[in-house]
Amino acid sequence: VTLHLNPISSVHIHQKPLVFLLNSPLPLVWKLKTERLAPGTRRVFLVSLGSVVQFEKGNFSLSAETEEKFFPEKNEHLLQWAQKEYGAVTSFTELKISRNIYIKVGE
């Protein structure tokens, strides 16, 4: 699955830390494609067991962290866990089948 990350239109370059929970019932390779995300900013990608994140060459992979996690099974429990762990959830998306996911990050 390719994850496309871009800032919202009102933000020229996104410079804030981000945390992504990438959960799947089956192990996946998450391919990351980014535009206008500031290098050196902390970005964390938590993936379900057996999954990996592949970064494009020359992007922010040096400041990104990837960690395998055991996530709660049901979406309600996953959302509650994320809110408890990180204090807030700004976006939650569930997709049954997808090859590309487009996410706008920003205020």
Side-chain angles (χ1 to χ4, degrees):
V1 175
T2 303
L3 183 62
H4 302 264
L5 302 177
N6 302 304
I8 58 175
S9 60
S10 62
V11 175
H12 182 63
I13 304 272
H14 188 271
Q15 301 185 27
K16 293 188 176 181
L18 295 168
V19 177
F20 290 92
L21 279 63
L22 304 173
N23 189 25
S24 172
L26 299 173
L28 284 179
V29 174
W30 295 91
K31 296 179 182 179
L32 212 59
K33 294 196 180 273
T34 64
E35 288 182 33
R36 300 185 345 233
L37 300 185
T41 301
R42 184 172 184 244
R43 296 185 180 93
V44 178
F45 297 89
L46 304 175
V47 296
S48 46
L49 299 178
S51 293
V52 296
V53 177
Q54 290 181 348
F55 298 97
E56 293 177 290
K57 291 180 182 173
N59 75 356
F60 60 80
S61 61
L62 293 177
S63 60
E65 303 167 32
T66 303
E67 183 182 339
E68 282 185 67
K69 279 275 195 200
F70 178 78
F71 292 122
E73 260 184 57
K74 296 189 184 269
N75 284 340
E76 314 84 68
H77 298 143
L78 177 61
L79 188 56
Q80 289 170 354
W81 175 85
Q83 287 172 324
K84 182 180 175 190
E85 195 76 16
Y86 295 98
V89 174
T90 56
S91 178
F92 184 92
T93 303
E94 177 187 12
L95 302 166
K96 298 290 184 191
I97 298 174
S98 183
R99 291 182 183 240
N100 291 283
I101 299 171
Y102 297 85
I103 297 179
K104 297 279 188 185
V105 297
E107 305 302 317

